[in-house]
Amino acid sequence: MAQTVMEHLVSQRGVSANWLVDSAGTGNWHIGSSPDQRSAATCKKLLGPTMAPITHKARQITREDFYQFDYILCMDRQNLLDLKCIKPKDATCEVSLLGSYDPEGESEIEDPYYGGTKGFEINFHQVMRCCNALLDKVCLLYTSDAADDLL
């Protein structure tokens, strides 16, 4: 869900060319699987007709990801611990909770798997808040850096 939401938001903001958005798990349980149908249905319902098709297949995070991406974001503290344990010492990416960007202060994004459709909708709104806040922060950083370069 987070990948779909972030891809939608960067497209809506017209900054897709500046972003590489991907999703990976810390475990290998779902490699090759499509997203949960309830997740896809929630995204289609709440993002509407401008949403791009979901083509992602689950994969496991790799060592190279820590060098390729500036941000590696996860949903809960256990995944955060797992990621920090496998992050190479010389990798410079930021590893953090996506929820750390939530303006409502909900730092963990709970797995909606057992929460029914309502759980996926709650999850969607939290992910949307967090992704928007992250984009605001990063866009502000780059705008500030660009302004500094002009001085």
Side-chain angles (χ1 to χ4, degrees):
M1 179 180 290
Q3 178 182 350
T4 299
V5 168
M6 184 61 93
E7 287 174 341
H8 180 80
L9 291 173
V10 298
S11 175
Q12 292 293 305
R13 291 181 185 215
V15 294
S16 295
N18 301 326
W19 286 80
L20 174 61
V21 180
D22 199 359
S23 176
T26 55
N28 62 1
W29 309 284
H30 301 289
I31 291 175
S33 298
S34 296
D36 186 298
Q37 289 292 35
R38 296 168 295 174
S39 178
T42 300
C43 288
K44 287 176 188 170
K45 174 183 173 186
L46 298 175
L47 291 176
T50 60
M51 185 188 98
I54 299 172
T55 58
H56 177 74
K57 298 290 184 198
R59 69 179 188 85
Q60 189 171 9
I61 194 160
T62 66
R63 178 179 174 79
E64 292 75 29
D65 290 333
F66 291 95
Y67 298 100
Q68 182 176 13
F69 295 96
D70 295 324
Y71 298 88
I72 295 182
L73 305 163
C74 59
M75 303 300 177
D76 61 47
R77 284 181 176 72
Q78 184 58 57
N79 282 305
L80 181 61
L81 289 172
D82 292 344
L83 288 166
K84 286 184 174 184
C85 284
I86 62 173
K87 178 184 174 186
K89 293 193 186 320
D90 64 336
T92 59
C93 64
E94 176 184 317
V95 176
S96 61
L97 293 169
L98 177 59
S100 67
Y101 295 94
D102 190 345
E104 294 185 14
E106 294 182 47
S107 63
E108 289 202 57
I109 300 174
E110 293 187 28
D111 187 343
Y113 187 79
Y114 298 105
T117 303
K118 183 72 173 166
F120 282 88
E121 289 183 5
I122 291 168
N123 185 275
F124 174 89
H125 291 295
Q126 186 181 7
V127 167
M128 181 67 86
R129 290 191 311 265
C130 296
C131 289
N132 266 313
L134 171 63
L135 281 168
D136 290 346
K137 175 190 171 189
V138 172
C139 290
L140 181 62
L141 286 173
Y142 283 103
T143 302
S144 296
D145 287 347
D148 290 345
D149 289 345
L150 294 174
L151 297 176

